[in-house]
Amino acid sequence: MNAYDEYMRGIVQPMREELVQHGFTELTSAEKVQETMDKLEGTALVVINSVCGCAAGQARPAVREALDSTENKPDHLFTVFAGQDKEATEMFRDYFPEVPPSSPSIALWKDGALAYFIPREQIENSQMEQIKDHLTGVLEQYCSK
């Protein structure tokens, strides 16, 4: 690993931990993504994480608060890190090729297909509370028990 990779790994570790500490499982390789997605049952919330300011200021906090504010939680929580785990992110995006690459973004997977997607454009131009409310509504619609 070169010095730049080591430096970036140190910078992004807290950004990774922010979701992992909230119950998310990191998918860090293409193999792990494929293995997970191919046998996935039920619902899954997947956050495509990134280092940008809108991920820190809006996306990650909104996801945490939405999950805390609803009883309708997905069966699984996963995250891939765009720009860091490139092969994993690319493999995950291959599962919904009709959606342009976007990070940060939030995908809801249900019964083997993409059920809902919140792209970067709906994150970076919104307040955290708006994203939380949007995602809470999505979870209540698609994850009702």
Short mmCIF file of all heavy atoms in Angstrom, two decimals, residues 25-40 78-80 87-88 91-92 95:
data_model
loop_
_atom_site.label_atom_id
_atom_site.label_comp_id
_atom_site.label_asym_id
_atom_site.label_seq_id
_atom_site.Cartn_x
_atom_site.Cartn_y
_atom_site.Cartn_z
N THR A 25 -23.25 -3.65 7.78
CA THR A 25 -22.15 -4.53 7.41
C THR A 25 -21.49 -3.97 6.18
O THR A 25 -22.16 -3.67 5.18
CB THR A 25 -22.68 -5.95 7.10
OG1 THR A 25 -23.32 -6.47 8.27
CG2 THR A 25 -21.56 -6.88 6.66
N GLU A 26 -20.17 -3.80 6.24
CA GLU A 26 -19.43 -3.30 5.09
C GLU A 26 -19.20 -4.42 4.09
O GLU A 26 -18.81 -5.53 4.46
CB GLU A 26 -18.06 -2.78 5.52
CG GLU A 26 -18.08 -1.42 6.12
CD GLU A 26 -16.67 -0.88 6.27
OE1 GLU A 26 -15.88 -1.46 7.01
OE2 GLU A 26 -16.39 0.14 5.62
N LEU A 27 -19.44 -4.10 2.84
CA LEU A 27 -19.12 -5.01 1.74
C LEU A 27 -17.92 -4.39 1.03
O LEU A 27 -18.06 -3.39 0.34
CB LEU A 27 -20.31 -5.17 0.80
CG LEU A 27 -21.61 -5.65 1.46
CD1 LEU A 27 -22.75 -5.68 0.45
CD2 LEU A 27 -21.43 -7.01 2.11
N THR A 28 -16.74 -4.95 1.25
CA THR A 28 -15.50 -4.30 0.82
C THR A 28 -14.86 -4.92 -0.42
O THR A 28 -13.85 -4.42 -0.88
CB THR A 28 -14.48 -4.31 1.96
OG1 THR A 28 -14.26 -5.66 2.37
CG2 THR A 28 -14.97 -3.48 3.15
N SER A 29 -15.44 -5.98 -0.95
CA SER A 29 -14.90 -6.59 -2.16
C SER A 29 -16.04 -6.98 -3.09
O SER A 29 -17.18 -7.18 -2.65
CB SER A 29 -14.08 -7.84 -1.81
OG SER A 29 -14.94 -8.88 -1.37
N ALA A 30 -15.72 -7.09 -4.37
CA ALA A 30 -16.73 -7.50 -5.35
C ALA A 30 -17.27 -8.88 -5.00
O ALA A 30 -18.47 -9.13 -5.12
CB ALA A 30 -16.12 -7.49 -6.75
N GLU A 31 -16.41 -9.76 -4.53
CA GLU A 31 -16.84 -11.11 -4.18
C GLU A 31 -17.83 -11.08 -3.03
O GLU A 31 -18.83 -11.81 -3.03
CB GLU A 31 -15.63 -11.98 -3.80
CG GLU A 31 -14.65 -12.22 -4.92
CD GLU A 31 -13.72 -11.04 -5.21
OE1 GLU A 31 -13.49 -10.18 -4.32
OE2 GLU A 31 -13.24 -10.96 -6.36
N LYS A 32 -17.57 -10.25 -2.03
CA LYS A 32 -18.47 -10.15 -0.88
C LYS A 32 -19.83 -9.58 -1.30
O LYS A 32 -20.88 -10.03 -0.83
CB LYS A 32 -17.83 -9.29 0.21
CG LYS A 32 -18.56 -9.34 1.52
CD LYS A 32 -18.46 -10.70 2.16
CE LYS A 32 -19.09 -10.70 3.52
NZ LYS A 32 -19.33 -12.05 4.03
N VAL A 33 -19.82 -8.60 -2.19
CA VAL A 33 -21.07 -8.03 -2.69
C VAL A 33 -21.87 -9.10 -3.43
O VAL A 33 -23.06 -9.30 -3.16
CB VAL A 33 -20.82 -6.82 -3.62
CG1 VAL A 33 -22.10 -6.40 -4.34
CG2 VAL A 33 -20.25 -5.65 -2.84
N GLN A 34 -21.22 -9.81 -4.34
CA GLN A 34 -21.93 -10.82 -5.13
C GLN A 34 -22.46 -11.93 -4.24
O GLN A 34 -23.62 -12.34 -4.37
CB GLN A 34 -21.00 -11.39 -6.20
CG GLN A 34 -21.73 -12.34 -7.13
CD GLN A 34 -20.89 -12.73 -8.32
OE1 GLN A 34 -19.68 -12.57 -8.33
NE2 GLN A 34 -21.54 -13.24 -9.33
N GLU A 35 -21.65 -12.40 -3.32
CA GLU A 35 -22.07 -13.46 -2.40
C GLU A 35 -23.28 -13.02 -1.57
O GLU A 35 -24.24 -13.76 -1.40
CB GLU A 35 -20.89 -13.81 -1.48
CG GLU A 35 -21.18 -14.77 -0.37
CD GLU A 35 -19.96 -14.90 0.54
OE1 GLU A 35 -18.87 -15.21 0.04
OE2 GLU A 35 -20.12 -14.67 1.76
N THR A 36 -23.24 -11.79 -1.10
CA THR A 36 -24.33 -11.24 -0.28
C THR A 36 -25.60 -11.03 -1.10
O THR A 36 -26.69 -11.46 -0.70
CB THR A 36 -23.89 -9.92 0.37
OG1 THR A 36 -22.75 -10.16 1.19
CG2 THR A 36 -25.00 -9.31 1.19
N MET A 37 -25.47 -10.38 -2.23
CA MET A 37 -26.65 -10.03 -3.03
C MET A 37 -27.30 -11.26 -3.65
O MET A 37 -28.52 -11.31 -3.77
CB MET A 37 -26.27 -9.02 -4.12
CG MET A 37 -25.78 -7.68 -3.56
SD MET A 37 -26.96 -6.84 -2.47
CE MET A 37 -28.20 -6.38 -3.65
N ASP A 38 -26.51 -12.23 -4.03
CA ASP A 38 -27.08 -13.41 -4.70
C ASP A 38 -27.90 -14.29 -3.76
O ASP A 38 -28.77 -15.02 -4.22
CB ASP A 38 -25.98 -14.23 -5.37
CG ASP A 38 -25.44 -13.55 -6.63
OD1 ASP A 38 -26.02 -12.53 -7.06
OD2 ASP A 38 -24.44 -14.04 -7.17
N LYS A 39 -27.64 -14.21 -2.47
CA LYS A 39 -28.42 -15.03 -1.54
C LYS A 39 -29.34 -14.19 -0.65
O LYS A 39 -29.97 -14.71 0.27
CB LYS A 39 -27.49 -15.90 -0.70
CG LYS A 39 -26.60 -15.13 0.26
CD LYS A 39 -25.72 -16.05 1.06
CE LYS A 39 -24.88 -15.24 2.03
NZ LYS A 39 -23.99 -16.03 2.82
N LEU A 40 -29.43 -12.90 -0.95
CA LEU A 40 -30.20 -11.98 -0.12
C LEU A 40 -31.70 -12.25 -0.20
O LEU A 40 -32.25 -12.40 -1.29
CB LEU A 40 -29.92 -10.55 -0.57
CG LEU A 40 -30.45 -9.43 0.31
CD1 LEU A 40 -29.82 -9.49 1.70
CD2 LEU A 40 -30.14 -8.09 -0.33
N PHE A 78 -26.45 -2.76 4.73
CA PHE A 78 -25.14 -2.91 4.11
C PHE A 78 -24.62 -1.56 3.66
O PHE A 78 -25.39 -0.62 3.44
CB PHE A 78 -25.21 -3.84 2.89
CG PHE A 78 -25.65 -5.23 3.21
CD1 PHE A 78 -26.88 -5.69 2.77
CD2 PHE A 78 -24.85 -6.09 3.94
CE1 PHE A 78 -27.31 -6.97 3.05
CE2 PHE A 78 -25.27 -7.38 4.24
CZ PHE A 78 -26.50 -7.82 3.79
N THR A 79 -23.30 -1.49 3.49
CA THR A 79 -22.70 -0.29 2.95
C THR A 79 -21.50 -0.66 2.09
O THR A 79 -20.80 -1.63 2.38
CB THR A 79 -22.29 0.71 4.06
OG1 THR A 79 -21.75 1.89 3.47
CG2 THR A 79 -21.32 0.12 5.04
N VAL A 80 -21.34 0.09 1.01
CA VAL A 80 -20.13 0.04 0.19
C VAL A 80 -19.58 1.46 0.17
O VAL A 80 -20.33 2.42 0.35
CB VAL A 80 -20.39 -0.47 -1.24
CG1 VAL A 80 -20.84 -1.92 -1.23
CG2 VAL A 80 -21.39 0.39 -1.98
N GLU A 87 -14.06 -1.83 -6.46
CA GLU A 87 -14.62 -3.03 -7.08
C GLU A 87 -15.94 -3.41 -6.42
O GLU A 87 -16.88 -3.83 -7.09
CB GLU A 87 -13.62 -4.19 -7.02
CG GLU A 87 -12.36 -3.98 -7.83
CD GLU A 87 -11.30 -3.14 -7.14
OE1 GLU A 87 -11.41 -2.90 -5.90
OE2 GLU A 87 -10.37 -2.69 -7.83
N ALA A 88 -16.03 -3.27 -5.11
CA ALA A 88 -17.27 -3.58 -4.40
C ALA A 88 -18.39 -2.64 -4.84
O ALA A 88 -19.51 -3.08 -5.10
CB ALA A 88 -17.06 -3.49 -2.89
N MET A 91 -19.46 -3.49 -8.39
CA MET A 91 -20.25 -4.73 -8.42
C MET A 91 -21.66 -4.47 -7.91
O MET A 91 -22.63 -4.94 -8.48
CB MET A 91 -19.58 -5.81 -7.58
CG MET A 91 -20.40 -7.09 -7.44
SD MET A 91 -20.75 -7.94 -8.99
CE MET A 91 -19.16 -8.67 -9.33
N PHE A 92 -21.80 -3.69 -6.82
CA PHE A 92 -23.13 -3.39 -6.31
C PHE A 92 -23.93 -2.64 -7.34
O PHE A 92 -25.10 -2.95 -7.59
CB PHE A 92 -23.06 -2.62 -4.98
CG PHE A 92 -24.41 -2.30 -4.45
CD1 PHE A 92 -25.26 -3.31 -4.01
CD2 PHE A 92 -24.88 -1.01 -4.43
CE1 PHE A 92 -26.54 -3.03 -3.55
CE2 PHE A 92 -26.15 -0.71 -3.97
CZ PHE A 92 -26.98 -1.74 -3.53
N TYR A 95 -25.95 -4.38 -10.07
CA TYR A 95 -27.25 -4.98 -9.77
C TYR A 95 -28.42 -4.09 -10.20
O TYR A 95 -29.56 -4.53 -10.23
CB TYR A 95 -27.37 -5.33 -8.29
CG TYR A 95 -26.62 -6.60 -7.96
CD1 TYR A 95 -25.28 -6.57 -7.64
CD2 TYR A 95 -27.26 -7.84 -8.02
CE1 TYR A 95 -24.58 -7.74 -7.36
CE2 TYR A 95 -26.57 -9.01 -7.75
CZ TYR A 95 -25.23 -8.94 -7.43
OH TYR A 95 -24.53 -10.11 -7.17
#
